Short mmCIF file of all heavy atoms in Angstrom, two decimals:
data_model
loop_
_atom_site.label_atom_id
_atom_site.label_comp_id
_atom_site.label_asym_id
_atom_site.label_seq_id
_atom_site.Cartn_x
_atom_site.Cartn_y
_atom_site.Cartn_z
N PRO A 99 38.20 -52.87 -83.35
CA PRO A 99 38.54 -54.28 -83.62
C PRO A 99 39.81 -54.41 -84.46
O PRO A 99 40.29 -53.41 -85.02
CB PRO A 99 37.32 -54.77 -84.42
CG PRO A 99 36.79 -53.54 -85.08
CD PRO A 99 37.06 -52.40 -84.14
N THR A 100 40.34 -55.62 -84.53
CA THR A 100 41.50 -55.87 -85.39
C THR A 100 41.06 -55.75 -86.85
O THR A 100 39.99 -56.23 -87.23
CB THR A 100 42.05 -57.28 -85.11
OG1 THR A 100 42.35 -57.38 -83.72
CG2 THR A 100 43.31 -57.56 -85.91
N LYS A 101 41.90 -55.12 -87.67
CA LYS A 101 41.56 -54.97 -89.09
C LYS A 101 41.45 -56.32 -89.77
O LYS A 101 42.26 -57.22 -89.49
CB LYS A 101 42.65 -54.16 -89.81
CG LYS A 101 42.55 -52.66 -89.59
CD LYS A 101 43.62 -51.92 -90.38
CE LYS A 101 43.21 -51.70 -91.81
NZ LYS A 101 44.18 -50.82 -92.52
N THR A 102 40.47 -56.47 -90.62
CA THR A 102 40.33 -57.76 -91.32
C THR A 102 40.85 -57.69 -92.75
O THR A 102 41.03 -58.70 -93.40
CB THR A 102 38.85 -58.21 -91.35
OG1 THR A 102 38.08 -57.13 -91.88
CG2 THR A 102 38.35 -58.56 -89.96
N LYS A 103 41.10 -56.46 -93.25
CA LYS A 103 41.68 -56.38 -94.60
C LYS A 103 42.53 -55.11 -94.72
O LYS A 103 42.47 -54.24 -93.84
CB LYS A 103 40.60 -56.42 -95.67
CG LYS A 103 39.55 -55.36 -95.55
CD LYS A 103 38.50 -55.53 -96.64
CE LYS A 103 37.53 -54.37 -96.62
NZ LYS A 103 36.54 -54.41 -97.65
N GLY A 104 43.28 -55.06 -95.77
CA GLY A 104 44.12 -53.88 -96.01
C GLY A 104 45.41 -53.93 -95.21
O GLY A 104 45.80 -54.97 -94.68
N LEU A 105 46.06 -52.77 -95.09
CA LEU A 105 47.34 -52.68 -94.39
C LEU A 105 47.20 -53.13 -92.94
O LEU A 105 46.32 -52.66 -92.24
CB LEU A 105 47.82 -51.22 -94.38
CG LEU A 105 48.43 -50.67 -95.66
CD1 LEU A 105 48.76 -49.20 -95.47
CD2 LEU A 105 49.69 -51.48 -96.00
N GLY A 106 48.07 -54.03 -92.50
CA GLY A 106 48.03 -54.47 -91.11
C GLY A 106 46.89 -55.41 -90.81
O GLY A 106 46.56 -55.64 -89.64
N ALA A 107 46.26 -56.00 -91.85
CA ALA A 107 45.12 -56.91 -91.63
C ALA A 107 45.54 -58.03 -90.68
O ALA A 107 46.63 -58.57 -90.78
CB ALA A 107 44.66 -57.49 -92.95
N GLY A 108 44.65 -58.36 -89.74
CA GLY A 108 44.93 -59.43 -88.79
C GLY A 108 45.75 -58.99 -87.60
O GLY A 108 45.91 -59.74 -86.64
N GLN A 109 46.30 -57.79 -87.62
CA GLN A 109 47.12 -57.32 -86.50
C GLN A 109 46.72 -55.93 -86.02
O GLN A 109 46.44 -55.73 -84.84
CB GLN A 109 48.61 -57.30 -86.89
CG GLN A 109 49.24 -58.67 -87.03
CD GLN A 109 50.73 -58.57 -87.25
OE1 GLN A 109 51.22 -57.63 -87.86
NE2 GLN A 109 51.45 -59.55 -86.76
N ALA A 110 46.73 -54.97 -86.94
CA ALA A 110 46.52 -53.57 -86.54
C ALA A 110 45.06 -53.34 -86.15
O ALA A 110 44.17 -54.07 -86.57
CB ALA A 110 46.88 -52.65 -87.71
N SER A 111 44.84 -52.31 -85.32
CA SER A 111 43.47 -51.96 -84.95
C SER A 111 42.81 -51.15 -86.07
O SER A 111 43.46 -50.33 -86.72
CB SER A 111 43.48 -51.08 -83.70
OG SER A 111 43.62 -51.88 -82.58
N ASP A 112 41.53 -51.38 -86.23
CA ASP A 112 40.77 -50.62 -87.21
C ASP A 112 40.30 -49.33 -86.53
O ASP A 112 39.49 -49.37 -85.61
CB ASP A 112 39.57 -51.46 -87.67
CG ASP A 112 38.88 -50.85 -88.87
OD1 ASP A 112 38.99 -49.62 -89.04
OD2 ASP A 112 38.22 -51.59 -89.61
N LEU A 113 40.83 -48.22 -86.98
CA LEU A 113 40.59 -46.96 -86.28
C LEU A 113 39.50 -46.10 -86.92
O LEU A 113 39.36 -44.92 -86.62
CB LEU A 113 41.90 -46.16 -86.20
CG LEU A 113 43.00 -46.87 -85.39
CD1 LEU A 113 44.28 -46.04 -85.40
CD2 LEU A 113 42.55 -47.11 -83.97
N LYS A 284 43.86 -59.38 -79.34
CA LYS A 284 43.79 -58.14 -80.15
C LYS A 284 44.92 -57.19 -79.75
O LYS A 284 45.61 -56.62 -80.60
CB LYS A 284 42.43 -57.48 -79.92
CG LYS A 284 42.22 -56.20 -80.67
CD LYS A 284 40.89 -55.56 -80.33
CE LYS A 284 41.10 -54.45 -79.31
NZ LYS A 284 39.90 -53.62 -79.10
N LEU A 287 48.46 -58.53 -80.72
CA LEU A 287 48.71 -58.42 -82.17
C LEU A 287 48.98 -56.97 -82.56
O LEU A 287 49.80 -56.68 -83.43
CB LEU A 287 47.52 -58.99 -82.95
CG LEU A 287 47.36 -60.51 -82.84
CD1 LEU A 287 46.12 -60.97 -83.60
CD2 LEU A 287 48.60 -61.24 -83.36
N ASN A 288 48.29 -56.08 -81.87
CA ASN A 288 48.51 -54.67 -82.09
C ASN A 288 49.94 -54.27 -81.72
O ASN A 288 50.63 -53.55 -82.45
CB ASN A 288 47.54 -53.96 -81.14
CG ASN A 288 47.10 -52.64 -81.67
OD1 ASN A 288 47.85 -52.00 -82.39
ND2 ASN A 288 45.93 -52.23 -81.26
N LEU A 289 50.37 -54.80 -80.58
CA LEU A 289 51.74 -54.53 -80.11
C LEU A 289 52.75 -55.08 -81.13
O LEU A 289 53.74 -54.42 -81.48
CB LEU A 289 51.91 -55.22 -78.76
CG LEU A 289 53.10 -54.88 -77.89
CD1 LEU A 289 53.12 -53.40 -77.56
CD2 LEU A 289 53.01 -55.69 -76.57
N VAL A 290 52.48 -56.28 -81.61
CA VAL A 290 53.37 -56.93 -82.59
C VAL A 290 53.46 -56.07 -83.85
O VAL A 290 54.54 -55.80 -84.37
CB VAL A 290 52.83 -58.35 -82.94
CG1 VAL A 290 53.54 -58.92 -84.16
CG2 VAL A 290 52.97 -59.27 -81.73
N TYR A 291 52.29 -55.59 -84.28
CA TYR A 291 52.25 -54.78 -85.50
C TYR A 291 53.06 -53.49 -85.31
O TYR A 291 53.87 -53.11 -86.16
CB TYR A 291 50.80 -54.46 -85.84
CG TYR A 291 50.66 -53.57 -87.05
CD1 TYR A 291 50.88 -54.06 -88.33
CD2 TYR A 291 50.31 -52.22 -86.91
CE1 TYR A 291 50.76 -53.25 -89.44
CE2 TYR A 291 50.19 -51.40 -88.02
CZ TYR A 291 50.41 -51.91 -89.29
OH TYR A 291 50.30 -51.11 -90.38
N LEU A 292 52.86 -52.86 -84.15
CA LEU A 292 53.55 -51.59 -83.91
C LEU A 292 55.06 -51.79 -83.79
O LEU A 292 55.84 -50.99 -84.30
CB LEU A 292 53.01 -50.94 -82.63
CG LEU A 292 51.58 -50.40 -82.77
CD1 LEU A 292 50.99 -50.08 -81.41
CD2 LEU A 292 51.59 -49.15 -83.65
N HIS A 295 56.39 -52.13 -87.13
CA HIS A 295 56.38 -50.82 -87.79
C HIS A 295 57.61 -50.00 -87.40
O HIS A 295 58.19 -49.29 -88.22
CB HIS A 295 55.09 -50.07 -87.39
CG HIS A 295 55.04 -48.66 -87.85
ND1 HIS A 295 54.68 -48.33 -89.13
CD2 HIS A 295 55.31 -47.50 -87.20
CE1 HIS A 295 54.74 -47.01 -89.25
NE2 HIS A 295 55.11 -46.48 -88.10
#
Side-chain angles (χ1 to χ4, degrees):
T100 304
K101 281 183 83 173
T102 52
K103 57 182 186 177
L105 282 176
Q109 288 187 328
S111 280
D112 191 335
L113 297 178
K284 179 184 99 170
L287 291 178
N288 209 331
L289 193 59
V290 167
Y291 177 74
L292 289 167
H295 172 81

